[in-house]
Amino acid sequence: MVQAIRIQQPGGPEVMQWQEIDLPAPGPGQALVRHTAVGLNYIDTYHRSGLYNLPMPAGIGMEGAGTVEAVGPDVKDLVAGDRVAYAAGPPGSYSEARIIAADRLVKIPEGVSDQQAAAMMLKGLTTQYLIRRIYKVKEGDTILMHAAAGGVGLILCQWAAALGATVIGTVGSKDKAELAKAHGCHHTILYREEDFVERVKEITAGKGVPVVYDGVGKDTFMKSLDCLSPLGLMVAFGQSSGNVPPLELGVLSAKGSLFLTRPTLVTYTAKREDLVASANDLFDAVKSGKVKIDINQTYPLKDVVKAHQDLEARKTTGSTVFLP
């Protein structure tokens, strides 16, 4: 028996309950992982609220790190004692321990701590596919990142800057602007006080940017299209402000034959070889010092209600980790 967070029905943070659950032995292709650190991500609020439907009752949480305690039959790449991390479904990382598919686990290399791994797997792997696969950021590019002081934002700003790009980031406060600048963001825009389209055009001398990374959604989507140069790429990878309204495709042609994608990490890491390659790329960036993982908040795992309240109130910055 282990302690874990369970939800019986979707709703606000208060629907998450700390309770004891039975943990069976790992089956074929599975591993039992004892968590040492668990990551908090905005997608967790989508699962909790019902924006992304889960069969109830349900576990919650997509990201964790810990130690393998046992493996099931047919698992050859892992043994008890291995340090591992993951950022994959089904949700259930808000727990002291869990059973998970072994092919979704990656070994944590020397030089990366369990807390760093738990803080960066989902956000870091998301950043990896955003800037290394969907649009390969290169030296000389100028890019726009919304929520530059958020978990993905702080990683992306550092990594893109290390690749030689100029990063423009939107933020909600002067404190967050300073944080983003300290992590490689070259130009910050206070979206509550400034028109970010006008500022992007000003910074780029009217050219716009080749790519916009938008995890905010409803509040920024349409104006983000106006920041793109002709043939630019709109990457809508989240919707923290709500779902994007239905789009008339003619808008994309009218604004410069634009491209639009709505990607997910699940798709980009569905193949084991892609998951491992992406994780190794991320680990290398962190070990080299190009990307620093800032854990700005920690909470006891049982205090998930408070953590979700703080996250949705935009009181958090960078990465947040639960400690079981």
Side-chain angles (χ1 to χ4, degrees), residues 146-147 149 169-177 188-196 199 216 219-220 223 240-241 311-315:
H146 287 299
T170 64
V171 293
S173 68
K174 291 181 179 179
D175 287 344
K176 289 188 174 183
T188 55
I189 301 172
L190 297 170
Y191 67 85
R192 292 189 176 100
E193 301 175 14
E194 305 172 275
D195 184 318
F196 69 80
R199 287 283 289 119
V216 176
D219 291 351
T220 53
K223 292 181 68 174
S240 62
S241 68
L311 179 65
E312 292 182 299
R314 302 186 186 277
K315 293 180 179 179

Side-chain angles (χ1 to χ4, degrees), residues 25-43:
Q30 295 181 329
L32 190 162
V33 177
R34 176 71 56 175
H35 289 135
T36 52
V38 172
L40 170 67
N41 294 281
Y42 216 94
I43 192 174

Side-chain angles (χ1 to χ4, degrees), residues 57-71:
I60 189 171
M62 297 290 287
E63 178 180 47
T67 303
V68 174
E69 286 198 344
V71 297

Side-chain angles (χ1 to χ4, degrees), residues 205-227:
K207 295 178 181 178
V209 296
V211 62
V212 175
Y213 297 111
D214 190 345
V216 176
K218 181 179 67 175
D219 291 351
T220 53
F221 181 86
M222 292 306 297
K223 292 181 68 174
S224 292
L225 297 178
D226 292 328
C227 295

Side-chain angles (χ1 to χ4, degrees), residues 94-150:
Y94 289 14
S95 59
E96 293 176 332
R98 73 177 299 190
I99 302 294
I100 191 168
D103 67 357
R104 296 291 88 194
L105 299 170
V106 296
K107 293 182 182 180
I108 303 172
E110 292 296 323
V112 176
S113 71
D114 288 12
Q115 286 194 30
Q116 284 179 312
M120 74 180 179
M121 286 299 293
L122 194 145
K123 292 176 280 290
L125 289 176
T126 297
T127 298
Q128 197 278 339
Y129 82 71
L130 290 177
I131 69 174
R132 305 282 274 171
R133 298 178 67 188
I134 286 183
Y135 178 89
K136 294 184 178 180
V137 173
K138 60 188 181 300
E139 187 172 359
D141 281 339
T142 299
I143 66 175
L144 175 61
M145 176 65 188
H146 287 299

Side-chain angles (χ1 to χ4, degrees), residues 177-256:
E178 291 303 314
L179 183 63
K181 287 179 180 177
H183 289 77
C185 190
H186 300 87
H187 304 276
T188 55
I189 301 172
L190 297 170
Y191 67 85
R192 292 189 176 100
E193 301 175 14
E194 305 172 275
D195 184 318
F196 69 80
V197 177
E198 291 183 4
R199 287 283 289 119
V200 168
K201 292 297 177 68
E202 177 185 325
I203 293 165
T204 62
K207 295 178 181 178
V209 296
V211 62
V212 175
Y213 297 111
D214 190 345
V216 176
K218 181 179 67 175
D219 291 351
T220 53
F221 181 86
M222 292 306 297
K223 292 181 68 174
S224 292
L225 297 178
D226 292 328
C227 295
L228 287 165
S229 55
L231 307 182
L233 173 61
M234 177 68 183
V235 184
F237 68 96
Q239 58 271 340
S240 62
S241 68
N243 283 322
V244 175
L247 177 69
E248 167 56 52
L249 290 181
V251 170
L252 300 178
S253 62
K255 293 182 181 294

